[in-house]
């Protein structure tokens, strides 16, 4: 590399090098002392020149710092490693950009106003090393403004049931490396009938759970600071399965309706009020389809991917009616976390939401990778049921319908949450003074924009 022959030219290079070195080292000492000291020892030998080697060392320090920082007091949120890295990189890249511009201006000015400057370099004009120096800083700035390699953030998500097609987007994002692409190491744990997801979330046993609006609103009412950050399904898949003689939900006046315990505090008050059904019609649903199979006067609650499939396998003809088609307001398969997580780790939440919605888009296009992981977690899940479930998700547009068609997968709106709150309050399922807006936030879905 060409070097200045006189002390004036050399001092320019060293001055810029020292400015950069000082900025990098002092900021890094507060974050990764060991890495900073190691860098300082190596960089001290480079002060006789400024080259891409020096810039490379700076970048390596930042990579090290981003993966081993502590909770030292700095001017941006250190509780979130990615926010820290991005803020640190932005600050340094601004310095590099300024130095690069100053360098170009300095040497352009020197060559025009002071031709003797060019004579201080050997053989070739001064513009050559100057351009190289400017390019080095520009390259470093570009490198630091792109996502830096850093240790992946570990995230645990707890589903709301045994692994199935309704969880496809999460498993797909894990199987295809989408979570990895966003710097996330995601562990998916299955829920089930005996798993209290909200309790585990509040206890810190999971970072996210798959929930539903009523659950979160009731938790907020009870003083549990949970909040919803995205909605995988634009509609609650809950509905009724009937025999094929029933033409609409309004045709159930003389039918026995099987309702599970959870349904009595969610959809049953809505259905009963909407169609003037009576409590005398309701009977417990035990998740056994035999009463439905043997009695044509029985209708029962169902999920489109589950009970209708079992009926199909038993060669029983049915109709399925989605409550959302008649105005039932809540979202479903929502991503729920604690408000503390939203406050302290917003970048992790944002990346998890974005990656999951990309997972859903990928799953709808080619479900094979996600299905393989689903079957690994839930060996009882058959290929046939997975295919049937995905067909229903597509047919009902649970992921891509409603506001998602224009605002992106995972979106939510204030209007929908207000409708759910109004319904719960009117049916005395929620106290009127509950702060329903604490049960959700739109800050992560408004900019996600994963279009169907």
């Amino acid at each position: 590399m060409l070097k200045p022959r006189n002390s004036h030219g050399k001092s320019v290079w060293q001055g810029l090098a020292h400015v950069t070195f000082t900025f990098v080292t002092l900021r890094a000492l507060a974050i990764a002392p060991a890495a900073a000291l190691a860098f300082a020892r190596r960089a001290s030998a480079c002060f006789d020149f400024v080259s891409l080697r020096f810039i490379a060392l700076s970048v390596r320090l930042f990579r090290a710092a981003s993966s081993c920082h502590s909770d030292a007091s700095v001017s941006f949120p250190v509780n979130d490693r990615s926010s820290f890295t991005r803020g640190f990189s932005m600050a340094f890249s601004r310095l590099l950009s300024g130095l690069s511009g100053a360098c170009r201006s300095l040497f352009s000015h020197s060559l025009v106003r002071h031709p003797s400057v060019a004579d201080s370099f050997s053989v070739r004009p001064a513009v050559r090393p100057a351009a190289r120096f400017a390019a080095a800083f520009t390259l470093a700035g570009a490198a630091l403004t792109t996502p830096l390699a850093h240790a992946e953030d570990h995230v645990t998500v707890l589903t709301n049931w045994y692994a199935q097609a309704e969880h496809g987007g999460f498993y797909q994002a894990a199987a295809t490396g989408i979570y990895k692409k966003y710097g996330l190491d995601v562990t998916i744990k299955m829920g089930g009938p005996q798993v209290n997801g909200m309790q585990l979330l509040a206890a810190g046993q999971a970072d996210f759970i798959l929930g539903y609006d009523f659950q979160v609103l009731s938790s907020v009412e009870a003083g549990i600071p949970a909040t919803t950050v995205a909605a995988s399904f634009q509609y609650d898949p809950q509905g009724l399965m009937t025999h094929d003689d029933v033409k609409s939900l309004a045709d159930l006046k003389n039918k026995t309706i099987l309702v599970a315990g959870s349904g009595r505090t969610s959809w049953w008050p809505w259905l009963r009020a909407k169609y003037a059904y009576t409590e005398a019609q309701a009977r417990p649903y035990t998740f056994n389809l035999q009463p439905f199979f043997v009695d044509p006067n029985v209708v029962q609650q169902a999920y489109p991917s589950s009970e209708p499939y079992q009926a199909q396998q038993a060669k029983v003809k049915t109709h399925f009616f989605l409550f959302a088609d008649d105005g039932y307001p809540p979202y479903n398969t929502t991503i729920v976390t604690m408000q503390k997580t939203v406050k302290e780790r917003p970048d992790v939440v944002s990346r998890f939401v974005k990656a999951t919605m990309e997972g859903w888009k990928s799953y709808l296009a080619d479900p094979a990778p996600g299905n393989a992981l689903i079957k690994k977690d839930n060996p009882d899940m058959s290929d046939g049921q997975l295919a049937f479930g995905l067909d229903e998700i597509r047919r009902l547009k649970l992921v891509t319908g409603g506001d998602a068609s224009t605002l992106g997968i995972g979106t939510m709106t204030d209007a929908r949450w207000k409708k759910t709150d109004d319904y719960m309050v009117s049916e005395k399922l929620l106290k009127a003074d509950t702060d329903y807006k604490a049960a959700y936030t739109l800050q992560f879905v408004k900019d996600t924009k994963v279009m169907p």
Side-chain angles (χ1 to χ4, degrees):
M1 177 177 178
L2 298 176
K3 299 180 182 180
R5 288 180 175 172
N6 61 28
S7 60
H8 171 74
K10 190 172 183 179
S11 66
V12 172
W13 298 110
Q14 288 188 332
L16 291 171
H18 278 280
V19 169
T20 305
F21 175 78
T22 302
F23 178 86
V24 173
T25 306
L26 290 179
R27 294 303 298 271
L29 279 170
I31 299 147
L37 291 174
F39 167 77
R41 285 194 296 270
R42 295 189 62 184
S44 62
C46 302
F47 265 8
D48 287 338
F49 63 91
V50 176
S51 68
L52 288 175
R53 180 187 173 198
F54 180 79
I55 302 303
L57 286 170
S58 301
V59 174
R60 289 182 65 184
L61 171 66
F62 273 76
R63 291 180 185 276
S66 70
S67 64
C68 64
H69 78 279
S70 67
D71 286 344
S73 176
V74 290
S75 59
F76 31 80
V78 295
N79 288 324
D80 186 333
R81 176 164 56 239
S82 298
S83 294
F84 154 76
T85 304
R86 186 170 56 253
F88 200 177
S89 299
M90 287 176 64
F92 188 48
S93 66
R94 289 194 189 101
L95 175 69
L96 295 178
S97 178
L99 290 174
S100 177
C103 178
R104 287 191 295 268
S105 298
L106 171 64
F107 281 94
S108 295
H109 177 82
S110 297
L111 287 173
V112 173
R113 297 293 183 87
H114 305 283
S116 61
V117 173
D119 296 332
S120 65
F121 294 89
S122 61
V123 186
R124 297 176 184 176
V127 68
R128 182 67 176 272
R132 184 180 301 169
F133 179 67
F137 274 105
T138 302
L139 178 63
L144 287 169
T145 53
T146 59
L148 296 180
H150 57 271
E152 292 170 345
D153 292 290
H154 181 71
V155 168
T156 298
V157 56
L158 176 66
T159 70
N160 51 5
W161 198 251
Y162 304 121
Q164 55 187 335
E166 284 88 342
H167 308 147
F170 298 86
Y171 281 96
Q172 185 83 353
T176 60
I178 295 175
Y179 284 137
K180 296 285 186 183
K181 181 180 77 172
Y182 282 91
L184 299 170
D185 175 22
V186 176
T187 298
I188 302 175
K189 294 184 178 180
M190 289 196 303
Q194 305 303 319
V195 177
N196 188 323
M198 187 60 71
Q199 186 178 54
L200 293 174
L201 178 69
Q205 298 302 302
D207 299 291
F208 301 95
I209 63 171
L210 306 194
Y212 54 97
D213 303 358
F214 293 173
Q215 171 197 37
V216 181
L217 285 163
S218 296
S219 297
V220 170
E221 179 187 48
I224 300 173
T227 193
T228 306
V229 296
S232 297
F233 290 172
Q234 289 298 297
Y235 317 110
D236 189 332
Q238 188 70 65
L240 280 184
M241 183 173 70
T242 73
H243 291 275
D244 62 351
D245 62 312
V246 176
K247 305 305 179 186
S248 76
L249 288 176
D251 299 337
L252 307 180
K253 298 288 186 182
N254 300 314
K255 303 289 187 181
T256 296
I257 304 172
L258 303 184
V259 184
S262 59
R264 288 188 170 275
T265 56
S266 56
W267 59 266
W268 171 243
W270 170 84
L271 185 70
R272 184 189 60 206
K274 187 173 182 67
Y275 294 106
Y277 296 145
T278 67
E279 279 295 331
Q281 291 181 259
R283 294 287 187 276
Y285 174 49
T286 62
F287 297 91
N288 179 357
L289 270 65
Q290 288 305 313
F292 175 83
F293 289 159
V294 301
D295 188 349
N297 199 51
V298 168
V299 303
Q300 66 160 73
Q301 71 175 62
Y303 258 53
S305 63
S306 182
E307 287 86 353
Y309 177 75
Q310 296 176 55
Q312 182 188 77
Q313 297 302 105
K315 302 187 184 311
V316 175
K317 294 182 178 180
T318 64
H319 284 157
F320 176 78
F321 298 96
L322 186 71
F323 292 149
D325 288 342
D326 281 45
Y328 189 55
Y331 297 105
N332 197 269
T333 314
T334 56
I335 299 177
V336 180
T337 189
M338 299 302 288
Q339 293 174 17
K340 180 181 179 181
T341 302
V342 168
K343 181 179 179 181
E344 296 183 354
R345 305 175 72 196
D347 189 67
V348 169
V349 177
S350 178
R351 283 184 283 130
F352 181 72
V353 169
K354 177 84 169 178
T356 301
M357 299 316 141
E358 288 188 10
W360 273 113
K361 184 173 183 176
S362 174
Y363 184 70
L364 293 176
D366 176 16
N371 283 348
L373 275 189
I374 289 173
K375 291 173 65 179
K376 182 178 180 181
D377 270 4
N378 183 9
D380 294 333
M381 181 58 61
S382 68
D383 290 332
Q385 185 157 2
L386 282 169
F388 185 90
L390 180 56
D391 285 344
E392 289 297 284
I393 291 172
R394 288 169 174 159
R395 180 180 71 84
L396 298 171
K397 297 184 177 180
L398 296 179
V399 174
T400 60
D403 293 317
S405 63
T406 56
L407 300 178
I409 297 172
T411 196
M412 303 184 295
T413 66
D414 291 315
R416 280 283 296 280
W417 276 95
K418 183 64 168 65
K419 286 182 179 179
T420 300
D421 175 67
D422 289 345
Y423 160 65
M424 292 189 70
V425 170
S426 68
E427 293 297 329
K428 295 181 172 52
L429 300 174
L430 188 71
K431 293 179 181 178
D433 61 354
T434 301
D435 180 13
Y436 78 93
K437 290 188 176 181
Y440 71 99
T441 175
L442 305 182
Q443 73 179 88
F444 303 105
V445 297
K446 65 182 181 180
D447 296 321
T448 300
K449 302 297 184 185
V450 177
M451 303 308 295

